[in-house]
Amino acid sequence: MAYTSADLQRQLQRIDGKGYPAYKDIRGVYMFDDFTLFIDHVQGDPFAAPSRLRARVPMSAAGFPPDAYANRSREIALRDFLARAFSAACRSFSDRGRGSGKSGLMAMDMPGQEILERSSIVITDEYVEARFVAGLPAHGRRVLGRQAAAMLCEDVPKIVDAALKYAHLNRQALAHHLDTAEDADTLRGRLASLRLVAFVADGSILPRRSGVDDRPLQGETVVPFRSPDSLRVEVDLPHRGRVSGMGIPTGVTLIVGGGYHGKSTLLLALERGVYNHIPGDGRELVVTNPTAVKIRAEDGRSVEGVDIRPFINNLPNHADAAAFRTDNASGSTSQAANIIEALEVGAQVLLLDEDTCATNMMIRDARMQALVEKSGEPITPFIDRVRQLSEEMGVSSILVLGGSGDYFDVADTVIRMDSYLPRDVTAEAKAIAAAHPTGRRQEVAGAWPAPTPRVPLAESLNPRKGRREVSIKGRALRAVLFGTEEIDMTAVAQLVDEGQVRAIGQALNLARERFMRPGQTVPQVIAAVMEAIARHGLDILDPRQTGDYVAFRPYELAAALNRLRSLRVEVGPALKTPG
Ligand code: ADP
Ligand code: MG
């Protein structure tokens, strides 16, 4: 039996002035003129988490041409565009003067500079659906029925009209949004065949307004990106046509230059280049191999059963480097674990900035080698593994370095940032390397050791908190709250949206419930979660069909698992394959 918006209006009038729990009666489905309103969850009181609603518009009324969601790139970009429109419309209709607590609030998370798949907008051939929250109005703890009716029966239809109907949206802006995303995906997809790990288009604007404002820096002082001729690559894109820019080849790339010349800014743009950006961002055509992972030192983190032998051996106190465990990693061991864990789940590009690396993990110069013999130093620095990574493992590295010229010997490409503009100084660096030998000995002994597989134990993940069987939350970009544990994500650089953090928390639980089985290794479990999401959408993370979740990469999911202090894994010889 279907209710109408008139029924909802009558219902709200009937409960006007009653105690707040009377709102529970409006849970249900209501047919409006040209959409359906689902009131899925009604908050218990005006100060509780707001009520959850969905507005579903049939495609016949929404009117989006099939071309607007004809492929993954365009569908995600369309959903992103609608989320921005819906969020903005909610803001303009939110009226917090409507009573106590969250009364009058209407909201959907506003996306940032990246275009990401979000569960707040769902599109199928049949309909467009927006998921949002509302604070049902109250005076004290009494229902304000008339205000609620104005919100739900008058304002919501206006929001739906403004944000979910093709005819009322800015068509040009929408087309540009979709084309921009499709071009970026196309460009990223071309990288491998061009033997590139990243591309930075000429004219790109890399610097941001501030450390807390991700919009492009503005003003006359901003220097648009311009590729050195020797690294310039041209690519034809479906919408923009031919674009030119700097291609960073596979292999080992150094970004050098004096302090404050734009090195870290370039690397940060490359970190974010795994995502698409909105028109006007300045990084629309800055794309990076989608598996690129930013690596840094992260002392204090826990490490569970990670084979760090490529970098660390012969630890004092007989710690096992093949299954290294600690509750409190040092700078170098944490960085080693970060690298191995990224490789474990398939990273093909590592991004490192000396500002955030452990020096002893990066380099041991000739004098230090002379003073402290190899047998007294457990660390094999990155400089002695980076070529092997490239040649044997097919893993490229991009390093920001201002301090150590020893890396000239192992680099394929050296880019110097000079007043924010890149120069190709590879030949110069090689000539200097030949003229000034470092005198250091390479410290690698033999091939890259076959990694020890790790099998995560489901029982080591516990989402319970107090009486709640499952309690999972995100805390901005900083932490996943999983049961009673707070997983520190502050060193995981490539998270850009709180919705990703929330989704990763749920994904850990999905992994625990469905995929952590005897013999299933970390990369197998992570891949199974990603595949389930690819097949069923973000809703597989939460049966409540909320708008809370944003797509994430396997690397960030693995990063959360690896930082869970309760995590226990079975390693190496204990490993049994099933069946
Ligand atoms: P480095 O890592 O070489 O020390 P940064 O990348 O941190 O330098 O950049 C130093 C400052 O210059 C930052 O405030 C950054 O916003 C600014 N900056 C970077 N690139 C540009 C550019 N292309 N135009 C204008 N300012 C820039
Ligand atoms: Mg820097």
Side-chain angles (χ1 to χ4, degrees):
M1 143 111 200
Y3 294 99
T4 64
S5 67
D7 293 325
L8 178 59
Q9 198 146 7
R10 269 193 297 278
Q11 180 90 319
L12 289 167
Q13 271 154 14
R14 195 178 54 74
I15 63 173
D16 185 50
K18 293 197 175 175
Y20 204 84
Y23 266 132
K24 292 281 179 195
D25 290 351
I26 67 167
R27 221 172 71 96
V29 184
Y30 301 90
M31 308 297 296
F32 282 59
D33 280 350
D34 52 7
F35 70 98
T36 307
L37 183 68
F38 298 78
I39 303 179
D40 291 326
H41 168 78
V42 175
Q43 64 206 99
D45 73 77
F47 298 89
S51 303
R52 288 199 315 271
L53 291 76
R54 286 178 293 139
R56 181 181 288 184
V57 187
M59 196 50 93
S60 55
F64 291 97
D67 168 66
Y69 52 100
N71 58 42
R72 267 306 270 171
S73 292
R74 297 178 79 77
E75 183 206 318
I76 290 171
L78 174 58
R79 291 164 66 185
D80 175 274
F81 189 89
L82 299 185
R84 291 169 200 273
F86 200 95
S87 173
C90 280
R91 275 183 199 173
S92 66
F93 281 99
S94 258
D95 179 1
R96 301 299 293 277
R98 269 173 169 150
S100 48
K102 300 199 170 69
S103 289
L105 167 80
M106 283 190 280
M108 174 185 282
D109 283 347
M110 180 61 95
Q113 295 299 106
E114 282 80 18
I115 298 175
L116 295 164
E117 182 181 8
R118 320 181 71 87
S119 68
S120 57
I121 301 281
V122 175
I123 292 178
T124 74
D125 286 329
E126 282 77 47
Y127 59 79
V128 177
E129 181 175 289
R131 291 131 177 223
F132 59 107
V133 297
L136 299 174
H139 179 71
R141 280 184 161 58
R142 308 232 150 256
V143 167
L144 284 175
R146 263 184 312 150
Q147 280 86 336
M151 255 176 95
L152 300 180
C153 302
E154 290 168 33
D155 294 347
V156 167
K158 286 183 200 151
I159 294 170
V160 167
D161 234 39
L164 300 183
K165 298 206 176 144
Y166 184 58
H168 299 161
L169 292 164
N170 180 335
R171 283 183 195 207
Q172 250 177 337
L174 173 59
H176 190 40
H177 202 79
L178 307 185
D179 293 350
T180 298
E182 200 173 14
D183 276 349
D185 280 328
T186 305
L187 187 56
R188 198 176 294 102
R190 298 259 175 88
L191 290 175
S193 63
L194 293 166
R195 305 189 62 73
L196 299 177
V197 291
F199 178 94
V200 184
D202 291 326
S204 295
I205 304 297
L206 307 188
R208 300 293 102 188
R209 276 190 211 172
S210 79
V212 293
D213 185 343
D214 202 33
R215 291 173 299 171
L217 188 64
Q218 289 177 319
E220 287 123 54
T221 57
V222 175
V223 179
F225 194 84
R226 196 176 70 234
S227 174
D229 292 339
S230 55
L231 294 174
R232 184 168 282 123
V233 175
E234 292 193 333
V235 185
D236 285 310
L237 298 176
H239 304 287
R240 273 280 282 268
R242 178 154 298 192
V243 296
S244 68
M246 181 175 84
I248 299 183
T250 55
V252 179
T253 300
L254 309 183
I255 300 171
V256 304
Y260 225 66
H261 276 267
K263 304 183 299 293
S264 296
T265 302
L266 172 57
L267 193 77
L268 193 59
L270 298 175
E271 289 172 25
R272 297 294 173 85
V274 301
Y275 300 122
N276 294 345
H277 290 92
I278 58 173
D281 174 81
R283 300 168 296 184
E284 297 93 313
L285 294 173
V286 179
V287 300
T288 306
N289 177 305
T291 74
V293 173
K294 171 71 178 292
I295 298 295
R296 56 168 293 168
E298 189 185 350
D299 54 305
R301 65 160 284 194
S302 63
V303 176
E304 170 60 12
V306 176
D307 184 353
I308 56 172
R309 284 175 301 168
F311 297 106
I312 317 250
N313 267 295
N314 307 321
L315 283 160
N317 67 35
H318 307 289
D320 182 6
F324 182 70
R325 293 197 156 87
T326 179
D327 291 324
N328 188 8
S330 65
S332 55
T333 52
S334 63
Q335 189 174 337
N338 286 351
I339 294 171
I340 301 296
E341 289 165 352
L343 299 177
E344 183 181 36
V345 283
Q348 289 159 9
V349 181
L350 304 178
L351 307 173
L352 300 93
D353 190 328
E354 65 181 352
D355 290 356
T356 49
C357 287
T359 304
N360 57 349
M361 205 17 228
M362 299 307 287
I363 185 69
R364 251 159 64 76
D365 67 13
R367 286 180 171 173
M368 196 55 82
Q369 285 181 323
L371 185 67
V372 182
E373 71 289 5
K374 177 68 186 149
S375 60
E377 171 54 90
I379 301 174
T380 301
F382 194 71
I383 189 171
D384 289 328
R385 287 291 190 189
V386 68
R387 286 230 61 81
Q388 205 175 13
L389 269 173
S390 169
E391 285 160 20
E392 287 176 27
M393 321 270 291
V395 174
S396 296
S397 297
I398 302 176
L399 300 107
V400 166
L401 286 174
S404 173
D406 286 11
Y407 271 84
F408 293 173
D409 289 322
V410 297
D412 297 301
T413 307
V414 184
I415 297 165
R416 173 174 172 185
M417 293 305 285
D418 190 357
S419 304
Y420 312 133
L421 285 174
R423 283 172 35 199
D424 180 357
V425 295
T426 309
E428 227 174 305
K430 290 295 178 187
I432 290 167
H436 305 275
T438 64
R440 72 181 298 280
R441 271 169 293 106
Q442 220 206 322
E443 294 180 4
V444 165
W448 193 278
T452 311
R454 300 191 296 154
V455 171
L457 303 177
E459 60 270 26
S460 67
L461 280 71
N462 183 5
R464 176 180 286 278
K465 184 176 183 188
R467 270 187 297 180
R468 300 195 58 155
E469 212 167 297
V470 174
S471 170
I472 296 169
K473 286 185 196 145
R475 179 167 289 163
L477 296 179
R478 299 194 308 276
V480 175
L481 307 184
F482 192 85
T484 57
E485 199 174 319
E486 181 169 329
I487 307 173
D488 184 353
M489 299 295 277
T490 48
V492 182
Q494 288 160 292
L495 290 168
V496 294
D497 194 296
E498 185 171 354
Q500 293 179 306
V501 180
R502 288 190 290 257
I504 284 170
Q506 298 296 337
L508 285 177
N509 198 38
L510 180 70
R512 177 187 74 91
E513 287 177 336
R514 299 257 301 266
F515 302 117
M516 289 185 186
R517 297 274 182 268
Q520 292 298 298
T521 62
V522 168
Q524 287 170 331
V525 169
I526 300 291
V529 173
M530 300 311 293
E531 198 186 305
I533 294 171
R535 184 169 306 168
H536 305 287
L538 289 164
D539 279 350
I540 195 170
L541 297 174
D542 190 332
R544 300 175 307 165
Q545 299 186 293
T546 78
D548 289 346
Y549 303 114
V550 176
F552 55 85
R553 305 188 306 161
Y555 316 102
E556 281 72 38
L557 173 57
L561 179 66
N562 287 320
R563 282 161 183 74
L564 182 73
R565 286 181 181 273
S566 67
L567 177 70
R568 290 298 169 263
V569 301
E570 261 176 39
V571 291
L575 191 65
K576 291 190 187 67
T577 36

